Amino acid sequence: RQGAALDVHELEHDTDKASTPQPSPPTPLKPREILTKRKFQTLWDAVKAETRDPNMVWGCYVDLLNYIGPENIPLELHQRTLRRCSPRPWDMRAWYARRLAEGKRLPAAHVNETRFRSIIYNIRAAGYTPNIDDYHHILRHFAAVGYHFGALHVLREVTHLGLPRSPKTYGLCLMAICRRLSLPCKRVVRDDIIQDASEQCARLLKDMWQDGIPVTAINVDIATRILKHSMDLEVFERMMRVAYAIDLAYPDRPPIELWDRS
């Protein structure tokens, strides 16, 4: 009887084991999935590496981009690539200074402008919208090397997308103009460059006034450095009215534009 009971117990135990569903073995990845995962990991390792290698980052990004398309790359990875695909702004400025010291010609634009444009385009093509910090990163680069045309183009794109502009946004554009005036140029075009810089500075200050963006002390300092080359008193007086509510023609009272404000 004990043996029979033991046999019944073992039979019931085996039945329970047979009725319990066993986990199925994992489905092996397809070769394309394995390669995609490897390319993703390579790019993540490149953008997270402590030692900056912009060309390595850009190469891995292009490789992954050509393999799966921009819409299959997360927004964060696009943004990390944007910040790591070029040397730091101060490194770019030092590189420009070395070229000047060696008597070499400076590039007309930022050497990595094409990379910046491509990444922004890919972000938008994937259905995302770049944030203002992405554009500020590009503006810092353009300001470091005096590429004011590119900075103003970025500002127009920021305005078109409806992103929030701040004193920092305009300050970086003013820095690009100021930096451009400090770079050497041919004497025959010097006056044209100064006049163009003064007009661009006046336009930026006017836009800030119309959009209600405060003109900070830093921006006033940068604008003053620009205007001292052109000696444009009209623009300087307008800046003083906008920034400090001082009318140089009538210093004993606020500007007329502010009479309806508390």
Side-chain angles (χ1 to χ4, degrees):
R1 290 180 181 179
Q2 291 180 354
L6 182 61
D7 292 342
V8 171
H9 177 73
E10 291 178 352
L11 181 61
E12 292 177 350
H13 183 67
D14 292 341
T15 304
D16 293 339
K17 290 175 61 179
S19 61
T20 303
Q22 298 297 320
S24 58
T27 305
L29 296 176
K30 299 178 180 179
R32 182 178 179 84
E33 294 175 342
I34 295 175
L35 187 56
T36 300
K37 185 177 181 181
R38 186 177 303 166
K39 291 179 182 293
F40 262 112
Q41 189 61 47
T42 302
L43 180 55
W44 276 114
D45 292 341
V47 298
K48 292 180 179 180
E50 295 183 2
T51 304
R52 182 182 292 262
D53 189 349
N55 293 330
M56 177 67 178
V57 171
W58 181 248
C60 295
Y61 177 75
V62 172
D63 185 36
L64 180 61
L65 183 71
N66 293 335
Y67 195 68
I68 63 174
E71 65 279 357
N72 295 313
I73 299 178
L75 175 60
E76 182 185 359
L77 193 51
H78 283 294
Q79 293 172 325
R80 283 178 175 263
T81 303
L82 177 66
R83 287 156 177 76
R84 303 285 290 191
C85 70
S86 177
R88 291 176 287 260
W90 50 89
D91 293 333
M92 292 299 303
R93 181 163 183 165
W95 180 77
Y96 271 58
R98 287 195 300 270
R99 289 185 66 90
L100 282 176
E102 296 170 359
K104 297 180 180 179
R105 186 176 181 180
L106 294 179
H110 193 285
V111 294
N112 290 321
E113 180 186 10
T114 303
R115 295 183 180 182
F116 298 152
R117 286 180 178 271
S118 298
I119 296 174
I120 292 296
Y121 174 82
N122 292 331
I123 290 176
R124 299 181 66 179
Y128 305 115
T129 300
N131 59 39
I132 192 62
D133 290 335
D134 297 331
Y135 286 106
H136 281 170
H137 175 77
I138 299 175
L139 286 174
R140 277 191 290 269
H141 271 273
F142 291 172
V145 301
Y147 184 37
H148 62 297
F149 289 122
L152 295 176
H153 178 79
V154 170
L155 180 60
R156 287 193 294 270
E157 184 169 339
V158 168
T159 304
H160 175 72
L161 293 176
L163 296 176
R165 290 160 294 165
S166 66
K168 180 179 181 180
T169 311
Y170 285 92
L172 290 171
C173 294
L174 291 171
M175 286 178 62
I177 299 173
C178 186
R179 175 61 177 164
R180 176 63 186 90
L181 291 175
S182 68
L183 297 176
C185 64
K186 295 181 180 180
R187 185 172 300 177
V188 294
V189 299
R190 180 67 178 175
D191 292 341
D192 293 337
I193 292 177
I194 292 176
Q195 181 63 27
D196 185 53
S198 178
E199 293 175 357
Q200 292 170 350
C201 178
R203 192 178 304 115
L204 291 174
L205 293 173
K206 181 180 179 181
D207 291 344
M208 295 180 71
W209 170 260
Q210 292 178 345
D211 296 338
I213 299 175
V215 182
T216 61
I218 295 177
N219 291 350
V220 171
D221 178 65
I222 300 171
T224 303
R225 297 183 189 183
I226 297 172
L227 297 176
K228 76 176 182 180
H229 292 277
S230 63
M231 300 300 292
D232 193 331
L233 184 59
E234 180 182 355
V235 177
F236 180 76
E237 289 179 348
R238 188 186 308 161
M239 180 181 67
M240 297 302 292
R241 289 198 300 268
V242 172
Y244 299 120
I246 297 175
D247 190 343
L248 296 181
Y250 303 96
D252 59 332
R253 61 171 175 76
I256 296 177
E257 297 93 335
L258 301 180
W259 282 10
D260 60 342
R261 302 188 184 188
S262 58

